[in-house]
């Protein structure tokens, strides 16, 4: 059975680009444009991995959502890849290897999305069955 | 700046006919008091020194002063201030008339015996307040001297008659008179100076206030600039991500012509993205108040170079690294250090053809931490070297070698190096390579 990847991003064109990339690689893709809706779908469909935009409606909606997921026993093991352009906005590059206690996600990918890097990151973070 | 504040400022400007006229009106106002003073002076002198005082002559002088002032006041009322030059002549005529009358008053009340000559100082003070030309007070001082010398010598050699201030028997009265003249001189000087300073303080406060407003509006503009840059970025990110999907994921569905066109799209979006990224770097730096995280440059460079090593290897460039053999007691702003180093190191890699070399060394010489990045790259033509720090400048050979670039990198580097109190020097020869040396003082 193919794995289901959830994408939460408010930029529908980015969602579309990622969807085509992932579907062509054999994943099932579900998506949401904002956090609350995304959370509902996650609780309903239990995706295997979440791709999350760091900034949606507010400056840190993505982070808030990640914290919510991590603090819930049902979703705390859901791998999260955060897609971010923050690096180019603040000059601050997130480094999960150093900030793992602080940042509740498994990996960061910089926008614009490189399809190969995205697929590699997903394969790295999918739980081994 | 609003229109009202501009008007407000010009009211205090020293360089408009209106502002000069306002000072001249103040000067005329002072002269009404001086005229009254001159009458009182004549009467007082004739009361105390009745044997020697030239009452009628002194009263004529006082009347002349009053008459002149009436003429000046009428002239000021009937003539609008039109030019600075005209106002200056108007001032000069008034001062000259005053000085001649003062000389006459002194002459009729004792000449050099009379300490009233202190009053000449007022004209020098007033001239220096009222005009913006530094030579004018000296000209007035020169005329003072000529008039006073002419009167003194003239009286001495007998060209004009010398009138004594008082008989020797009035010693005490003379002393009191001299003291009164002295007090008047210093208090009038104080009054004139205070009027001037108060005016200057008002202008200074106004300028400080304006400055604050300008700073605030500059921050607002920078925030707007940052917002716009950020908003520009989102569509570009989406375009490039989409283009990436077409060229990578759908490569088998497009022919070579489409692929070539897609690559052009990608190249231009990358160019735009890196420009926006540079603009965001600039705005981030200008908007951040805090000093930022401080890091040891050695540790930072080591990890940075290790991260970038694959890029150098992909281009078959051999890296020689010799850093941090000497311990530097130095912490630098992480954000700035990263921008400086990634730009310089990035340039060295980008502009060095395959098979070339890039060397990074650090040293400490004379309390300066010295970072040296040397490459065997395309170099910078001599005629381009004085422009390489200019915003958006890219040398022709750089464009030929790497089409994408914003021309902002070295400009940002130069700003950031200055902000960490460092200096940057670039030595380069076309087709031979480039040496970039950055020096930052080490705090012991």
């Amino acid at each position: 059975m193919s794995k289901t990847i959830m994408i939460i991003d408010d930029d529908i064109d980015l969602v579309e680009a990622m969807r085509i990339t992932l579907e062509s690689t054999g994943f099932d893709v579900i998506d949401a444009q904002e956090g609350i809706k995304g959370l509902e779908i996650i609780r309903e469909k239990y995706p295997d991995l979440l791709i999350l935009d760091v900034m949606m409606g507010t400056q840190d909606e993505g982070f808030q959502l990640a914290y919510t997921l991590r603090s819930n026993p049902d979703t705390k093991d859901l791998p999260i890849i955060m897609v971010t352009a923050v690096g180019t906005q603040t000059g601050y590059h997130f480094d999960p290897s150093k900030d793992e206690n602080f940042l509740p996600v498994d990996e960061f990918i910089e926008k614009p999305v490189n399809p190969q890097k995205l697929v590699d990151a997903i394969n790295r973070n999918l739980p081994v069955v | 700046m609003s229109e009202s504040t501009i008007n407000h400022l010009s009211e205090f400007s020293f360089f408009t006919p209106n502002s000069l006229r306002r000072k001249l009106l103040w000067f005329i106002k002072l002269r009404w008091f001086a005229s009254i003073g001159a009458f009182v002076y004549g009467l007082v002198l004739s009361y105390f020194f009745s044997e020697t005082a030239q009452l009628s002559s002194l009263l004529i002088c006082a009347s002349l002063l009053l008459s002149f002032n009436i003429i000046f006041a009428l002239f000021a009322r009937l003539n609008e201030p039109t030019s600075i030059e005209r106002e200056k002549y108007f001032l000069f005529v008034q001062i000259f008339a005053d000085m001649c009358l003062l000389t006459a008053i002194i002459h009729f009340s004792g000449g050099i015996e009379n300490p009233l000559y202190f009053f000449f100082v007022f004209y020098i003070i007033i001239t220096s307040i009222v005009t913006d030309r530094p030579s004018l007070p000296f000209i007035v001082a020169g005329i003072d001297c000529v008039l006073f010398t002419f009167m003194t010598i003239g009286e001495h050699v007998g060209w004009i008659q010398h009138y004594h201030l008082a008989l020797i028997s009035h010693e005490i009265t003379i002393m009191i008179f001299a003291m009164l003249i002295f007090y008047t001189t210093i208090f009038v000087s104080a009054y004139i100076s205070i009027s001037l300073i108060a005016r200057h303080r008002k202008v200074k406060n106004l300028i400080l206030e304006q400055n604050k407003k300008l700073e605030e509006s500059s921050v607002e503009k920078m925030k707007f600039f940052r917002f716009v840059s950020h908003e520009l970025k989102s569509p570009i990110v989406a375009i490039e991500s989409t283009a990436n999907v077409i060229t990578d994921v759908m490569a088998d569905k497009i022919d070579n012509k489409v692929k070539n066109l897609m690559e052009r799209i990608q190249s231009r979006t990358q160019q735009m993205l890196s420009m926006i990224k540079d603009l965001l770097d600039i705005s981030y730096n200008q908007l951040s108040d805090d000093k930022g995280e401080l890091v040891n440059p050695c540790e930072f460079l080591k990890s940075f170079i290790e991260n970038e090593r694959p890029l150098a290897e992909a281009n078959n460039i051999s890296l020689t690294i010799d850093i941090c053999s000497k311990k530097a007691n130095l912490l630098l702003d992480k954000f700035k250090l990263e921008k400086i180093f990634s730009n310089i190191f990035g340039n060295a890699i980008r502009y060095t053809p395959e098979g070339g070399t890039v060397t990074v060394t650090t040293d400490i010489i004379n309390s300066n931490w010295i970072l040296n990045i040397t490459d065997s790259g395309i170099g910078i033509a001599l005629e381009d070297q004085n422009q390489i720090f200019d915003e958006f400048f890219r040398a022709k050979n750089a464009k030929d070698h790497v089409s994408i670039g914003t021309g902002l990198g070295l400009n940002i580097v130069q700003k950031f190096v200055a902000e960490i109190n460092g200096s940057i020097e670039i030595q380069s020869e076309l087709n031979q390579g480039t040496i970039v040396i950055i020096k930052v003082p080490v705090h012991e």
Side-chain angles (χ1 to χ4, degrees), chain B residues 234-252:
Chain B
S234 303
I236 298 294
V237 162
I239 292 169
E240 202 190 323
S241 300
T242 307
N244 288 346
V245 172
I246 297 172
T247 51
D248 294 9
V249 181
M250 300 177 162
D252 52 343

Side-chain angles (χ1 to χ4, degrees), chain A residues 43-106:
Chain A
R43 284 172 181 159
E44 209 176 291
K45 302 197 171 168
Y46 289 101
D48 297 289
L49 184 141
L50 172 63
I51 295 170
L52 184 59
D53 178 30
V54 67
M55 294 186 197
M56 285 179 283
T58 60
Q59 285 281 300
D60 59 351
E61 196 181 337
F63 280 115
Q64 297 298 340
L65 184 66
Y67 275 113
T68 310
L69 292 169
R70 283 285 184 261
S71 56
N72 187 318
D74 286 345
T75 53
K76 72 176 171 52
D77 294 323
L78 174 67
I80 303 174
I81 293 173
M82 197 161 247
V83 191
T84 169
V86 167
T88 57
Q89 280 168 40
T90 63
Y92 185 82
H93 292 283
F94 293 111
D95 186 351
S97 63
K98 277 184 192 164
D99 304 321
E100 56 191 341
N101 295 325
F102 172 64
L103 297 166
V105 301
D106 298 280

Side-chain angles (χ1 to χ4, degrees), chain B residues 97-311:
Chain B
D98 285 342
M99 290 193 301
C100 290
L101 281 174
L102 179 63
T103 311
I105 290 171
I106 295 172
H107 166 65
F108 289 118
S109 52
I112 200 158
E113 295 167 30
N114 189 336
L116 199 64
Y117 51 68
F118 278 132
F119 281 21
F120 279 119
V121 172
F122 298 151
Y123 298 108
I124 294 160
I125 299 176
I126 289 170
T127 318
S128 50
I129 294 170
V130 176
T131 72
D132 58 318
R133 213 194 291 169
S135 60
L136 214 54
F138 285 105
I139 293 172
V140 170
I143 295 171
D144 273 354
C145 290
V146 169
L147 287 170
F148 189 67
T149 309
F150 176 76
M151 179 197 73
T152 314
I153 306 265
E155 286 179 11
H156 180 70
V157 299
W159 295 333
I160 47 175
Q161 193 185 340
H162 177 68
Y163 304 101
H164 286 288
L165 173 63
L167 299 177
I168 293 297
S169 57
H170 289 298
E171 197 185 337
I172 304 279
T173 323
I174 292 172
M175 190 184 77
I176 292 169
F177 173 77
M179 281 158 77
L180 283 176
I181 295 287
F182 177 72
Y183 299 150
T184 312
T185 308
I186 56 175
F187 280 106
V188 172
S189 304
Y191 169 73
I192 295 173
S193 310
I194 283 166
S195 310
L196 165 78
I197 295 296
R199 197 178 180 79
H200 272 247
R201 198 164 291 147
K202 216 169 168 183
V203 177
K204 193 184 147 199
N205 287 339
L206 205 66
I207 289 170
L208 285 178
E209 203 180 295
Q210 285 306 320
N211 222 11
K212 207 177 146 220
K213 280 189 190 153
L214 280 176
E215 268 171 26
E216 282 166 6
S217 91
S218 151
V219 168
E220 281 307 309
K221 273 186 199 140
M222 200 36 87
K223 279 184 182 161
F224 177 72
F225 170 76
R226 182 168 164 67
F227 172 76
V228 170
S229 309
H230 180 219
E231 290 303 298
L232 285 174
K233 202 183 64 192
S234 303
I236 298 294
V237 162
I239 292 169
E240 202 190 323
S241 300
T242 307
N244 288 346
V245 172
I246 297 172
T247 51
D248 294 9
V249 181
M250 300 177 162
D252 52 343
K253 292 182 182 141
I254 56 173
D255 64 22
N256 278 345
K257 274 185 187 164
V258 177
K259 188 167 183 279
N260 175 276
L261 291 172
M262 288 308 299
E263 280 167 357
R264 284 169 191 264
I265 291 175
Q266 284 170 306
S267 152
R268 299 312 295 257
T269 51
Q270 277 162 19
Q271 181 182 14
M272 182 136 179
L273 262 181
S274 55
M275 237 182 245
I276 292 171
K277 196 178 156 189
D278 285 346
L279 293 174
L280 282 166
D281 283 346
I282 294 170
S283 70
Y284 172 77
N285 185 51
Q286 295 207 355
L287 282 173
S288 75
D289 291 335
D290 54 330
K291 282 278 175 206
E293 189 188 347
L294 296 177
V295 291
N296 181 313
C298 279
E299 300 302 319
F300 177 81
L301 291 190
K302 273 180 194 161
S303 69
F304 189 96
I305 292 168
E306 282 322 302
N307 281 338
E308 299 295 314
R309 196 177 279 280
L311 182 68

Side-chain angles (χ1 to χ4, degrees), chain B residues 339-353:
Chain B
K339 292 299 160 197
I340 293 167
F341 193 68
S342 64
N343 268 298
I344 301 291
F345 188 74
N347 281 349
I349 302 281
R350 265 151 49 103
Y351 298 114
T352 298

Side-chain angles (χ1 to χ4, degrees), chain B residues 271 275 347 350-351 378 384 387-388 390-409:
Chain B
Q271 181 182 14
M275 237 182 245
N347 281 349
R350 265 151 49 103
Y351 298 114
I378 59 170
D384 291 335
Q387 290 183 76
I388 49 170
D390 293 354
E391 281 169 326
F392 301 109
F393 176 79
R394 290 192 75 212
K396 191 184 173 299
N397 64 332
K399 285 183 194 163
D400 292 344
H401 189 73
V402 183
S403 64
I404 294 173
T406 63
L408 282 169

Side-chain angles (χ1 to χ4, degrees), chain A residues 87-127:
Chain A
T88 57
Q89 280 168 40
T90 63
Y92 185 82
H93 292 283
F94 293 111
D95 186 351
S97 63
K98 277 184 192 164
D99 304 321
E100 56 191 341
N101 295 325
F102 172 64
L103 297 166
V105 301
D106 298 280
E107 187 158 343
F108 281 90
I109 298 186
E110 293 249 347
K111 288 179 184 176
V113 180
N114 175 307
Q116 192 54 50
K117 282 186 182 167
L118 179 67
V119 172
D120 288 349
I122 290 172
N123 287 330
R124 255 198 307 277
N125 289 286
L126 272 177

Side-chain angles (χ1 to χ4, degrees), chain B residues 18-34:
Chain B
N18 277 320
S19 68
L20 255 177
R21 174 58 67 86
R22 264 190 295 278
K23 289 174 198 156
L24 290 184
L25 291 177
W26 171 71
F27 195 23
I28 289 172
K29 198 172 89 184
L30 283 185
R31 198 178 293 103
W32 296 124
F33 293 106

